[in-house]
Amino acid sequence: MIKCVILDDELLAISYLKLLCEQIDHVEVVKAFNDPKIFLSEIHSIDCNVCILDIEMPGMTGLQVAELISDSKKIIFTTAYKEYAAEAFDLNVVDYVRKPIKKERLIQAFEKAKELVNSPQKKDFIEWNTNIGKTIIFTEQIAYIKTSEIDSRDKDIILNDGTNIVLKNLNFKNLLDMLPAKDFAQINKKEIIALSSIKVFSTNEIITTIPAEDDNFLKLQIGDTYKSALMEMFGK
């Protein structure tokens, strides 16, 4: 059962969200707030597992609220603005739903939330044989992964600080099974990107936060097979 709390500064938006939630099986709206400060003062004493947060609110944004509660609650963002998507996924949210919200799209978000609520979380690290021996790598430190140019059975991991580690004899399918699905996306046959490393993206190209030559940033091509899955992760 999903027990959710709604935070939106617009009362009409709250009423509409409640109406949609009432039409979805196994979802219960426990309480709704239109003031972020009151929400924060009460949320830790409320029996709920999912919070639906609007992003644009006076006084305090949904992003700021999420930073304070993301360790204890699953978060679904709602907003009319697409430019917050990358920042939202930096906070490890369940989903990012664009307004006007459709029932079918909200059901998708709740399905993702239910999966996370009902199943144990994946480890926040991977353990594998590397070029420096058996190594534990914390997933939050991973910026980018690509197939090794020296041996296609190996995978090069680039960490946030630029460190390069080679995973020995590991295919992408098994590697993706080790990584938190909400934090990483395979974008073509040879590359995986951490969502937190995405600066901007179009239908064909990603510009990352990873430094490249000539003071530019690493650009990656999105394969046709992977476009729809990537767009869905960002609520497109």
Side-chain angles (χ1 to χ4, degrees):
M1 183 73 173
I2 296 293
K3 294 185 176 182
C4 72
V5 171
I6 297 169
L7 172 61
D8 196 304
D9 63 303
E10 296 182 3
L11 295 179
L12 282 176
I14 290 174
S15 298
Y16 178 64
L17 261 176
K18 279 184 175 179
L19 183 64
L20 290 182
C21 290
E22 287 170 0
Q23 300 173 36
I24 301 174
D25 291 338
H26 310 299
V27 174
E28 175 190 353
V29 177
V30 179
K31 197 164 183 178
F33 297 85
N34 67 344
D35 185 319
K37 292 182 179 178
I38 297 176
F39 169 90
L40 287 171
S41 69
E42 297 186 24
I43 189 60
H44 293 296
S45 62
I46 297 174
D47 179 19
C48 69
N49 42 34
V50 174
C51 293
I52 303 177
L53 307 181
D54 185 29
I55 291 184
E56 287 254 332
M57 294 182 291
M60 193 174 198
T61 69
L63 295 168
Q64 292 171 316
V65 172
E67 287 180 356
L68 299 174
I69 66 166
S70 59
D71 288 341
S72 58
K73 309 292 181 184
K74 307 303 179 189
I75 294 168
I76 298 171
F77 277 127
T78 63
T79 182
Y81 305 94
K82 63 182 179 181
E83 60 264 29
Y84 295 111
E87 190 173 354
F89 277 98
D90 281 348
L91 296 169
N92 297 326
V93 301
V94 172
D95 211 340
Y96 180 96
V97 181
R98 294 277 302 280
K99 294 180 179 180
I101 299 170
K102 296 180 180 179
K103 178 183 174 182
E104 294 75 17
R105 183 66 184 86
L106 191 60
I107 288 173
Q108 288 180 6
F110 279 128
E111 285 298 318
K112 292 180 183 180
K114 184 169 69 174
E115 199 172 309
L116 291 170
V117 167
N118 293 338
S119 62
Q121 294 294 298
K122 289 189 178 181
K123 294 178 180 178
D124 56 3
F125 62 87
I126 60 177
E127 185 175 2
W128 200 258
N129 289 325
T130 74
N131 57 314
I132 55 175
K134 195 161 189 178
T135 306
I136 290 176
I137 305 169
F138 289 93
T139 56
E140 65 179 12
Q141 296 298 320
I142 298 174
Y144 166 60
I145 304 169
K146 66 176 180 177
T147 298
S148 171
E149 295 178 3
I150 299 173
D151 187 337
S152 62
R153 294 173 299 179
D154 298 341
K155 304 296 175 282
D156 292 338
I157 286 185
I158 309 299
L159 302 184
N160 294 327
D161 64 0
T163 301
N164 191 324
I165 297 175
V166 182
L167 295 172
K168 307 299 290 185
N169 197 19
L170 178 62
N171 62 45
F172 268 176
K173 182 183 183 302
N174 290 338
L175 177 54
L176 285 167
D177 285 342
M178 298 178 187
L179 297 169
K182 60 186 175 57
D183 298 334
F184 293 87
Q186 184 171 356
I187 58 170
N188 56 50
K189 290 182 178 179
K190 295 186 175 182
E191 295 173 302
I192 294 172
I193 189 70
L195 299 189
S196 59
S197 296
I198 296 176
K199 185 188 289 284
V200 296
F201 72 93
S202 66
T203 54
N204 298 309
E205 184 180 67
I206 289 173
I207 300 176
T208 74
T209 59
I210 302 166
E213 296 179 358
D214 302 323
D215 294 326
N216 291 316
F217 293 93
L218 180 66
K219 295 181 180 180
L220 308 173
Q221 296 302 306
I222 303 173
D224 290 339
T225 308
Y226 304 90
K227 286 180 182 179
S228 59
L230 182 63
M231 294 299 176
E232 186 177 331
M233 293 184 82
F234 284 90
K236 303 292 285 183

